[in-house]
PDB file of all heavy atoms in Angstrom:
ATOM      1  N   ASN A 829       8.773  17.565  38.141  1.00 98.00           N
ATOM      2  CA  ASN A 829       9.454  18.605  38.949  1.00 98.00           C
ATOM      3  C   ASN A 829       9.733  18.144  40.341  1.00 98.00           C
ATOM      4  O   ASN A 829       8.865  17.977  41.145  1.00 98.00           O
ATOM      5  CB  ASN A 829       8.637  19.935  38.949  1.00 98.00           C
ATOM      6  CG  ASN A 829       9.629  21.097  39.416  1.00 98.00           C
ATOM      7  OD1 ASN A 829      10.732  20.887  39.789  1.00 98.00           O
ATOM      8  ND2 ASN A 829       9.137  22.305  39.310  1.00 98.00           N
ATOM      9  N   GLY A 830      11.018  17.954  40.646  1.00 98.00           N
ATOM     10  CA  GLY A 830      11.447  17.504  41.944  1.00 98.00           C
ATOM     11  C   GLY A 830      11.142  18.554  43.045  1.00 98.00           C
ATOM     12  O   GLY A 830      11.258  18.258  44.224  1.00 98.00           O
ATOM     13  N   TYR A 831      10.807  19.786  42.572  1.00 98.00           N
ATOM     14  CA  TYR A 831      10.291  20.787  43.485  1.00 98.00           C
ATOM     15  C   TYR A 831       9.193  20.278  44.437  1.00 98.00           C
ATOM     16  O   TYR A 831       9.046  20.669  45.559  1.00 98.00           O
ATOM     17  CB  TYR A 831       9.745  21.956  42.663  1.00 98.00           C
ATOM     18  CG  TYR A 831       9.254  23.156  43.400  1.00 98.00           C
ATOM     19  CD1 TYR A 831       9.964  23.853  44.333  1.00 98.00           C
ATOM     20  CD2 TYR A 831       7.966  23.703  43.057  1.00 98.00           C
ATOM     21  CE1 TYR A 831       9.561  24.951  44.957  1.00 98.00           C
ATOM     22  CE2 TYR A 831       7.531  24.824  43.661  1.00 98.00           C
ATOM     23  CZ  TYR A 831       8.306  25.474  44.624  1.00 98.00           C
ATOM     24  OH  TYR A 831       7.782  26.593  45.220  1.00 98.00           O
ATOM     25  N   ALA A 832       8.465  19.315  43.902  1.00 98.00           N
ATOM     26  CA  ALA A 832       7.335  18.724  44.655  1.00 98.00           C
ATOM     27  C   ALA A 832       7.765  17.973  45.885  1.00 98.00           C
ATOM     28  O   ALA A 832       6.951  17.792  46.844  1.00 98.00           O
ATOM     29  CB  ALA A 832       6.442  17.796  43.744  1.00 98.00           C
ATOM     30  N   MET A 833       8.965  17.552  45.953  1.00 98.00           N
ATOM     31  CA  MET A 833       9.442  16.932  47.238  1.00 98.00           C
ATOM     32  C   MET A 833      10.093  17.974  48.135  1.00 98.00           C
ATOM     33  O   MET A 833      10.507  17.668  49.245  1.00 98.00           O
ATOM     34  CB  MET A 833      10.388  15.805  46.979  1.00 98.00           C
ATOM     35  CG  MET A 833      11.726  16.175  46.359  1.00 98.00           C
ATOM     36  SD  MET A 833      13.077  15.044  46.857  1.00 98.00           S
ATOM     37  CE  MET A 833      14.216  16.188  47.736  1.00 98.00           C
ATOM     38  N   GLY A 834      10.141  19.222  47.660  1.00 98.00           N
ATOM     39  CA  GLY A 834      10.718  20.290  48.533  1.00 98.00           C
ATOM     40  C   GLY A 834      12.092  19.944  48.885  1.00 98.00           C
ATOM     41  O   GLY A 834      12.952  19.734  47.985  1.00 98.00           O
ATOM     42  N   ASP A 835      12.415  19.965  50.190  1.00 98.00           N
ATOM     43  CA  ASP A 835      13.767  19.569  50.588  1.00 98.00           C
ATOM     44  C   ASP A 835      13.737  18.317  51.410  1.00 98.00           C
ATOM     45  O   ASP A 835      14.659  18.069  52.222  1.00 98.00           O
ATOM     46  CB  ASP A 835      14.370  20.758  51.340  1.00 98.00           C
ATOM     47  CG  ASP A 835      13.590  21.173  52.592  1.00 98.00           C
ATOM     48  OD1 ASP A 835      12.545  20.444  52.925  1.00 98.00           O
ATOM     49  OD2 ASP A 835      13.908  22.200  53.273  1.00 98.00           O
ATOM     50  N   ASN A 836      12.722  17.496  51.213  1.00 98.00           N
ATOM     51  CA  ASN A 836      12.549  16.255  52.001  1.00 98.00           C
ATOM     52  C   ASN A 836      12.414  15.022  51.128  1.00 98.00           C
ATOM     53  O   ASN A 836      11.358  14.687  50.649  1.00 98.00           O
ATOM     54  CB  ASN A 836      11.299  16.424  52.868  1.00 98.00           C
ATOM     55  CG  ASN A 836      11.068  15.217  53.781  1.00 98.00           C
ATOM     56  OD1 ASN A 836      11.932  14.348  53.861  1.00 98.00           O
ATOM     57  ND2 ASN A 836       9.934  15.190  54.442  1.00 98.00           N
ATOM     58  N   PRO A 837      13.548  14.286  50.955  1.00 98.00           N
ATOM     59  CA  PRO A 837      13.522  13.052  50.046  1.00 98.00           C
ATOM     60  C   PRO A 837      12.502  12.057  50.571  1.00 98.00           C
ATOM     61  O   PRO A 837      12.094  11.181  49.772  1.00 98.00           O
ATOM     62  CB  PRO A 837      14.937  12.584  50.102  1.00 98.00           C
ATOM     63  CG  PRO A 837      15.730  13.759  50.478  1.00 98.00           C
ATOM     64  CD  PRO A 837      14.936  14.596  51.418  1.00 98.00           C
ATOM     65  N   ALA A 838      12.122  12.079  51.869  1.00 98.00           N
ATOM     66  CA  ALA A 838      11.181  11.082  52.310  1.00 98.00           C
ATOM     67  C   ALA A 838       9.807  11.214  51.619  1.00 98.00           C
ATOM     68  O   ALA A 838       9.057  10.191  51.555  1.00 98.00           O
ATOM     69  CB  ALA A 838      10.951  11.250  53.834  1.00 98.00           C
ATOM     70  N   VAL A 839       9.551  12.386  51.067  1.00 98.00           N
ATOM     71  CA  VAL A 839       8.293  12.573  50.319  1.00 98.00           C
ATOM     72  C   VAL A 839       8.232  11.684  49.003  1.00 98.00           C
ATOM     73  O   VAL A 839       7.188  11.346  48.622  1.00 98.00           O
ATOM     74  CB  VAL A 839       8.104  14.091  49.964  1.00 98.00           C
ATOM     75  CG1 VAL A 839       6.922  14.304  49.072  1.00 98.00           C
ATOM     76  CG2 VAL A 839       7.994  14.895  51.229  1.00 98.00           C
ATOM     77  N   LEU A 840       9.410  11.389  48.547  1.00 98.00           N
ATOM     78  CA  LEU A 840       9.417  10.534  47.286  1.00 98.00           C
ATOM     79  C   LEU A 840       8.744   9.211  47.499  1.00 98.00           C
ATOM     80  O   LEU A 840       8.113   8.684  46.578  1.00 98.00           O
ATOM     81  CB  LEU A 840      10.903  10.300  46.927  1.00 98.00           C
ATOM     82  CG  LEU A 840      11.684  11.571  46.463  1.00 98.00           C
ATOM     83  CD1 LEU A 840      13.150  11.232  46.362  1.00 98.00           C
ATOM     84  CD2 LEU A 840      11.138  12.047  45.128  1.00 98.00           C
ATOM     85  N   ALA A 841       8.841   8.633  48.725  1.00 98.00           N
ATOM     86  CA  ALA A 841       8.076   7.406  49.033  1.00 98.00           C
ATOM     87  C   ALA A 841       6.554   7.586  48.938  1.00 98.00           C
ATOM     88  O   ALA A 841       5.846   6.632  48.538  1.00 98.00           O
ATOM     89  CB  ALA A 841       8.536   6.869  50.361  1.00 98.00           C
ATOM     90  N   GLN A 842       6.099   8.785  49.269  1.00 98.00           N
ATOM     91  CA  GLN A 842       4.653   9.055  49.077  1.00 98.00           C
ATOM     92  C   GLN A 842       4.272   9.038  47.608  1.00 98.00           C
ATOM     93  O   GLN A 842       3.221   8.557  47.255  1.00 98.00           O
ATOM     94  CB  GLN A 842       4.257  10.374  49.765  1.00 98.00           C
ATOM     95  CG  GLN A 842       4.471  10.373  51.306  1.00 98.00           C
ATOM     96  CD  GLN A 842       4.070  11.734  51.898  1.00 98.00           C
ATOM     97  OE1 GLN A 842       2.969  12.247  51.593  1.00 98.00           O
ATOM     98  NE2 GLN A 842       4.920  12.274  52.676  1.00 98.00           N
ATOM     99  N   PHE A 843       5.125   9.635  46.783  1.00 98.00           N
ATOM    100  CA  PHE A 843       4.857   9.631  45.397  1.00 98.00           C
ATOM    101  C   PHE A 843       4.846   8.153  44.837  1.00 98.00           C
ATOM    102  O   PHE A 843       3.954   7.768  44.096  1.00 98.00           O
ATOM    103  CB  PHE A 843       5.924  10.468  44.544  1.00 98.00           C
ATOM    104  CG  PHE A 843       5.999  11.891  44.943  1.00 98.00           C
ATOM    105  CD1 PHE A 843       7.172  12.580  44.649  1.00 98.00           C
ATOM    106  CD2 PHE A 843       4.966  12.549  45.598  1.00 98.00           C
ATOM    107  CE1 PHE A 843       7.224  13.944  44.990  1.00 98.00           C
ATOM    108  CE2 PHE A 843       5.055  13.903  45.926  1.00 98.00           C
ATOM    109  CZ  PHE A 843       6.202  14.590  45.623  1.00 98.00           C
ATOM    110  N   ARG A 844       5.817   7.405  45.254  1.00 98.00           N
ATOM    111  CA  ARG A 844       5.922   6.038  44.782  1.00 98.00           C
ATOM    112  C   ARG A 844       4.681   5.190  45.276  1.00 98.00           C
ATOM    113  O   ARG A 844       4.126   4.384  44.539  1.00 98.00           O
ATOM    114  CB  ARG A 844       7.215   5.385  45.292  1.00 98.00           C
ATOM    115  CG  ARG A 844       7.457   3.962  44.802  1.00 98.00           C
ATOM    116  CD  ARG A 844       7.707   3.980  43.295  1.00 98.00           C
ATOM    117  NE  ARG A 844       7.745   2.578  42.776  1.00 98.00           N
ATOM    118  CZ  ARG A 844       6.658   1.928  42.233  1.00 98.00           C
ATOM    119  NH1 ARG A 844       5.509   2.607  42.210  1.00 98.00           N
ATOM    120  NH2 ARG A 844       6.746   0.758  41.791  1.00 98.00           N
ATOM    121  N   ALA A 845       4.264   5.494  46.531  1.00 98.00           N
ATOM    122  CA  ALA A 845       3.103   4.823  47.070  1.00 98.00           C
ATOM    123  C   ALA A 845       1.854   5.139  46.256  1.00 98.00           C
ATOM    124  O   ALA A 845       0.915   4.329  46.210  1.00 98.00           O
ATOM    125  CB  ALA A 845       2.878   5.203  48.531  1.00 98.00           C
ATOM    126  N   LYS A 846       1.798   6.276  45.596  1.00 98.00           N
ATOM    127  CA  LYS A 846       0.710   6.586  44.714  1.00 98.00           C
ATOM    128  C   LYS A 846       0.977   6.147  43.258  1.00 98.00           C
ATOM    129  O   LYS A 846       0.313   6.599  42.334  1.00 98.00           O
ATOM    130  CB  LYS A 846       0.406   8.066  44.804  1.00 98.00           C
ATOM    131  CG  LYS A 846      -0.185   8.475  46.131  1.00 98.00           C
ATOM    132  CD  LYS A 846      -0.590   9.957  46.184  1.00 98.00           C
ATOM    133  CE  LYS A 846      -0.968  10.415  47.633  1.00 98.00           C
ATOM    134  NZ  LYS A 846      -2.292   9.811  48.082  1.00 98.00           N
ATOM    135  N   GLY A 847       1.903   5.310  43.054  1.00 98.00           N
ATOM    136  CA  GLY A 847       2.154   4.682  41.799  1.00 98.00           C
ATOM    137  C   GLY A 847       3.168   5.313  40.893  1.00 98.00           C
ATOM    138  O   GLY A 847       3.446   4.817  39.771  1.00 98.00           O
ATOM    139  N   ALA A 848       3.720   6.421  41.302  1.00 98.00           N
ATOM    140  CA  ALA A 848       4.599   7.146  40.377  1.00 98.00           C
ATOM    141  C   ALA A 848       5.780   6.301  40.021  1.00 98.00           C
ATOM    142  O   ALA A 848       6.399   5.569  40.818  1.00 98.00           O
ATOM    143  CB  ALA A 848       5.171   8.450  41.083  1.00 98.00           C
ATOM    144  N   ARG A 849       6.237   6.467  38.667  1.00 98.00           N
ATOM    145  CA  ARG A 849       7.367   5.686  38.230  1.00 98.00           C
ATOM    146  C   ARG A 849       8.566   6.587  37.800  1.00 98.00           C
ATOM    147  O   ARG A 849       9.612   6.035  37.538  1.00 98.00           O
ATOM    148  CB  ARG A 849       6.952   4.797  37.093  1.00 98.00           C
ATOM    149  CG  ARG A 849       6.237   3.510  37.464  1.00 98.00           C
ATOM    150  CD  ARG A 849       6.840   2.754  38.676  1.00 98.00           C
ATOM    151  NE  ARG A 849       8.240   2.445  38.593  1.00 98.00           N
ATOM    152  CZ  ARG A 849       8.716   1.317  38.085  1.00 98.00           C
ATOM    153  NH1 ARG A 849       7.866   0.425  37.683  1.00 98.00           N
ATOM    154  NH2 ARG A 849      10.077   1.043  38.027  1.00 98.00           N
ATOM    155  N   TYR A 850       8.299   7.865  37.617  1.00 98.00           N
ATOM    156  CA  TYR A 850       9.505   8.700  37.527  1.00 98.00           C
ATOM    157  C   TYR A 850       9.315  10.097  38.059  1.00 98.00           C
ATOM    158  O   TYR A 850       8.126  10.496  38.280  1.00 98.00           O
ATOM    159  CB  TYR A 850       9.969   8.772  35.960  1.00 98.00           C
ATOM    160  CG  TYR A 850       9.095   9.595  35.038  1.00 98.00           C
ATOM    161  CD1 TYR A 850       8.947  10.920  34.968  1.00 98.00           C
ATOM    162  CD2 TYR A 850       8.454   8.833  34.023  1.00 98.00           C
ATOM    163  CE1 TYR A 850       8.195  11.597  34.035  1.00 98.00           C
ATOM    164  CE2 TYR A 850       7.695   9.477  33.052  1.00 98.00           C
ATOM    165  CZ  TYR A 850       7.549  10.860  33.101  1.00 98.00           C
ATOM    166  OH  TYR A 850       6.797  11.520  32.129  1.00 98.00           O
ATOM    167  N   VAL A 851      10.440  10.720  38.380  1.00 99.00           N
ATOM    168  CA  VAL A 851      10.330  12.095  38.821  1.00 99.00           C
ATOM    169  C   VAL A 851      11.273  12.923  37.899  1.00 99.00           C
ATOM    170  O   VAL A 851      12.440  12.570  37.825  1.00 99.00           O
ATOM    171  CB  VAL A 851      10.672  12.272  40.332  1.00 99.00           C
ATOM    172  CG1 VAL A 851      10.729  13.740  40.684  1.00 99.00           C
ATOM    173  CG2 VAL A 851       9.760  11.472  41.206  1.00 99.00           C
TER     174      VAL A 851
END
Side-chain angles (χ1 to χ4, degrees):
N829 198 352
Y831 181 54
M833 68 152 242
D835 56 8
N836 182 8
V839 173
L840 294 167
Q842 296 181 49
F843 299 160
R844 184 69 189 92
K846 292 183 186 291
R849 283 315 306 269
Y850 68 73
V851 176

